[in-house]
Amino acid sequence: MAQLLPVSESGDEIPPFRSVTEFPIRPRQEHLAQLYPELLQTLKSANVARHVLRAQLEEKKRMIIEVRAEMEKLESDLALEAETRIQLHAMNDQLLSALQEIEGIADDATDVVTMAHQIPRTRLGVLIERLKSLVKRWRAFKQLRSGSVSPGDGSTDG
């Protein structure tokens, strides 16, 4: 009579299992009194085992729910991270275009100053007009980037 004694993860021991084949199908009348306590003990053991197995199943279900919740949280975090990376990439693109615009304005200003030293003084009016257009370009750039376009902005900051 081989008996299995599995132990649950929670430490509850599953009672030994007994096969129905160990008991006679039609016991004799004289053996019933001797067989009854054995059958009763087997039934009690089966009930205890069923209780332990149900508890294990509930624990596994609880763990599955926790793992699913963690996976959903991780998926959410990963989606948020991807969205954040996209936003950072867009911000980097904006920064790059702003820096390129600033560099263009600075190069134009350098060109105007260099030309001012090379051309005769009679043509300085052209250079002054270019400088004025650079100031307007700079102001337009600042307003575009800050989003604060105020009508009739006649400030002279540069």
Side-chain angles (χ1 to χ4, degrees):
M1 172 170 37
Q3 295 180 358
L4 301 175
L5 297 173
V7 177
S8 73
E9 294 171 5
S10 63
D12 296 332
E13 190 174 305
I14 297 176
F17 293 110
R18 293 196 57 192
S19 174
V20 72
T21 59
E22 295 180 27
F23 300 100
I25 295 174
R26 292 190 181 109
R28 293 192 176 144
Q29 191 71 24
E30 61 271 9
H31 292 128
L32 287 179
Q34 177 189 2
L35 194 56
Y36 179 78
E38 234 181 302
L39 288 171
L40 184 61
Q41 182 57 44
T42 301
L43 181 61
K44 287 179 181 179
S45 295
N47 285 338
V48 169
R50 185 175 56 220
H51 174 74
V52 169
L53 292 172
R54 277 188 183 162
Q56 288 177 353
L57 182 63
E58 289 302 316
E59 177 66 17
K60 287 178 183 177
K61 284 180 183 179
R62 186 191 62 75
M63 289 180 69
I64 288 170
I65 289 170
E66 285 180 11
V67 168
R68 283 185 179 160
E70 283 294 318
M71 287 175 57
E72 287 174 7
K73 183 178 183 274
L74 179 61
E75 287 173 356
S76 173
D77 289 349
L78 289 175
L80 181 62
E81 181 180 337
E83 184 179 320
T84 302
R85 285 183 184 210
I86 289 170
Q87 289 174 350
L88 283 174
H89 183 67
M91 290 170 63
N92 283 340
D93 285 346
Q94 289 177 349
L95 179 60
L96 181 61
S97 70
L99 290 174
Q100 288 171 341
E101 182 69 20
I102 291 171
E103 185 178 8
I105 293 170
D107 288 345
D108 287 349
T110 302
D111 290 345
V112 169
V113 171
T114 303
M115 288 169 77
H117 291 293
Q118 295 173 352
I119 64 170
R121 293 192 182 269
T122 55
R123 296 188 52 207
L124 285 179
V126 174
L127 293 176
I128 290 171
E129 290 304 315
R130 274 192 74 190
L131 281 173
K132 285 181 181 178
S133 73
L134 282 173
V135 169
K136 288 178 184 175
R137 184 175 164 195
W138 176 253
R139 286 182 183 153
F141 170 76
K142 283 181 22 179
Q143 287 177 346
L144 177 71
R145 292 297 172 187
S146 68
S148 61
V149 179
S150 52
D153 187 7
S155 64
T156 57
D157 59 344

